[in-house]
Amino acid sequence: MCTMSKDAISLCVKRQEFMDDPGLLQRLYLHHKGFTRIQNLDNFTQVKELFLESNSLTKIENLQNFKHLEVLHLEKNKIEKIENLNCLTNLKYLNLAQNAISKIEELESLTCLETLIISQNEISMTEFVKNLSLIPKLRELDLSMNKINCNPESILCILADCRSLRILSLQGNPFVCNNKMPHYRSLVISHCKKLSQLDGRRICSEERRRCNAWGEVVLNGGTFDEANEADRQELIKIRLERSQKNAERRSSLSQSRLSSSSSSDRSSSIGSTVLESVKRTFGRTSLSEISHSSWSRRNIDIELDNEAEDWENSMKKYKNDVYGWNRVTDNSPRGID
């Protein structure tokens, strides 16, 4: 056990952040220190993330001045009650896993709260989680490994009222493990219309459609057999739509290939026309003498310059040969009389 004294906090800050000015801190790490109380944090109220996990805390206290706090880690402590969090109006992430909490309460004022991790606690009754629907922006909820063993319909109604819920974890509770809720996954997905992940598994669009069809029958008083038949019919419809999309995709692909081949034929005809015009202009004997790279005017000009240079060099050579022959003729002895 250890007291959260000012000296202990300053030592933690110097070791982890290497700074002396507490006003510059954005994160405060006070985890794994064995602290028994939250205290002496008046100089750190500007932080946005506070890590207090893996201590021996028994009560949430002395956090009323943390107006800028967005992330709060309190997991792996000995907390028994959720309290004194009403002033944290900017809080977005709250982790209370592995404590001794038996009721979710006093979170209604946390209007920015998006993630609540409260797994491995002592929550057992549905009435202890009914306040979840009062958290307006709650997107992620982890209630796994608790002791909820109540009527499944009541917990489903509470979860359905959480309009912003996207990620949910309920595994490890008795009502899930003891098969008190047959077709558990289908029921939860059909009730929570915007859910995208359940117990760590993503909910794809096809599963969403099938669960909605299944749940519609159940909610209208149908039997599980009728719901299973509705699920099967929806699966047949999904497969038919998929095959139609594949056929359309193959058709569009073949059309694109035909258009590409016609464009290549058109480009080859244009190229042959260019070659013919170049042949007529420059008097080439065969089209093979003109390479593909000389189609552009620049390359043709370069080729003409090279030909002019070759012609000039040949003329110089001819003149030198003629001049040298005349000189030899002038110096040669005259014929013998």
Side-chain angles (χ1 to χ4, degrees):
M1 304 298 179
C2 181
T3 303
M4 190 181 292
S5 62
K6 292 184 178 180
D7 293 337
I9 296 171
S10 299
L11 182 61
C12 293
V13 171
K14 289 181 179 180
R15 285 178 177 177
Q16 297 170 7
E17 300 292 341
F18 305 103
M19 61 177 64
D20 296 325
D21 187 2
L24 300 176
L25 283 177
Q26 294 295 313
R27 300 182 182 90
L28 181 58
Y29 297 93
L30 299 174
H31 55 302
H32 297 280
K33 296 295 184 294
F35 295 138
T36 56
R37 289 192 61 191
I38 303 174
Q39 57 186 357
N40 296 319
L41 294 176
D42 296 335
N43 293 330
F44 303 93
T45 55
Q46 82 288 341
V47 299
K48 293 184 177 181
E49 300 181 20
L50 180 58
F51 296 81
L52 292 169
E53 70 271 19
S54 300
N55 285 289
S56 298
L57 304 175
T58 58
K59 185 178 180 180
I60 304 174
E61 57 184 340
N62 298 322
L63 295 177
Q64 62 273 9
N65 294 326
F66 285 77
K67 304 297 183 181
H68 306 286
L69 194 64
E70 297 180 359
V71 176
L72 177 58
H73 287 267
L74 288 168
E75 64 268 26
K76 297 181 181 179
N77 282 286
K78 300 177 181 179
I79 300 171
E80 298 181 355
K81 184 179 180 180
I82 302 175
E83 57 185 341
N84 300 322
L85 295 176
N86 297 329
C87 297
L88 307 181
T89 54
N90 289 318
L91 193 65
K92 297 180 180 180
Y93 178 97
L94 177 60
N95 195 330
L96 292 167
Q98 300 184 42
N99 280 283
I101 299 171
S102 59
K103 184 179 181 180
I104 298 176
E105 56 187 339
E106 295 191 18
L107 296 179
E108 299 84 2
S109 60
L110 305 182
T111 56
C112 294
L113 187 63
E114 297 179 357
T115 302
L116 176 60
I117 312 296
I118 196 167
S119 59
Q120 300 185 48
N121 276 275
E122 303 293 328
I123 301 173
S124 58
M125 301 296 293
T126 307
E127 61 185 20
F128 296 155
V129 298
K130 63 182 180 180
N131 293 330
L132 288 173
S133 59
L134 301 178
I135 306 175
K137 294 185 178 181
L138 186 63
R139 294 176 55 87
E140 181 177 355
L141 174 63
D142 189 351
L143 277 170
S144 61
M145 307 300 293
N146 274 278
K147 300 179 180 179
I148 303 175
N149 192 18
C150 57
N151 182 11
E153 291 296 328
S154 57
I155 187 71
L156 287 176
C157 292
I158 294 172
L159 295 174
D161 290 336
C162 298
R163 304 299 181 183
S164 301
L165 194 61
R166 298 294 186 276
I167 302 174
L168 175 64
S169 182
L170 295 171
Q171 59 187 355
N173 285 284
F175 80 96
V176 177
C177 300
N178 298 337
N179 293 325
K180 276 194 170 184
M181 187 188 294
H183 307 281
Y184 152 74
R185 186 172 177 86
S186 298
L187 277 172
V188 174
I189 294 175
S190 61
H191 276 75
C192 302
K193 302 297 184 183
K194 296 183 179 180
L195 205 63
S196 60
Q197 182 176 313
L198 176 60
D199 294 335
R201 286 175 53 193
R202 187 178 68 88
I203 302 171
C204 64
S205 58
E206 294 183 1
E207 184 180 13
R208 164 63 63 187
R209 287 180 54 180
R210 293 177 60 184
C211 290
N212 288 343
W214 186 93
E216 185 177 356
V217 175
V218 173
L219 292 176
N220 291 331
T223 63
F224 285 150
D225 292 335
E226 294 174 347
N228 292 334
E229 178 62 23
D231 178 20
R232 192 178 70 85
Q233 294 297 329
E234 189 66 25
L235 177 60
I236 293 174
K237 187 185 300 184
I238 290 172
R239 289 177 176 174
L240 180 62
E241 292 176 359
R242 188 188 304 164
S243 62
Q244 291 176 351
K245 288 182 180 179
N246 290 335
E248 292 175 358
R249 191 179 298 113
R250 287 193 296 268
S251 176
S252 62
L253 181 60
S254 61
Q255 290 178 359
S256 63
R257 287 178 178 175
L258 289 174
S259 61
S260 62
S261 62
S262 62
S263 62
S264 63
D265 294 339
R266 193 180 307 111
S267 62
S268 62
S269 63
I270 292 173
S272 62
T273 304
V274 171
L275 288 173
E276 290 290 345
S277 61
V278 172
K279 179 182 177 182
R280 289 194 301 269
T281 304
F282 300 104
R284 297 293 184 178
T285 57
S286 64
L287 295 178
S288 59
E289 296 180 10
I290 300 178
S291 61
H292 179 75
S293 61
S294 63
W295 287 0
S296 64
R297 183 170 181 176
R298 176 178 175 273
N299 291 331
I300 292 173
D301 292 340
I302 293 173
E303 190 173 354
L304 291 175
D305 292 339
N306 292 334
E307 289 183 358
E309 186 177 357
D310 292 341
W311 182 83
E312 186 176 357
N313 291 332
S314 62
M315 290 299 297
K316 287 181 180 179
K317 184 178 179 182
Y318 173 75
K319 289 181 179 180
N320 291 332
D321 292 341
V322 173
Y323 176 74
W325 181 82
N326 289 335
R327 189 169 55 180
V328 170
T329 304
D330 292 338
N331 295 332
S332 62
R334 301 293 180 178
I336 299 176
D337 295 334

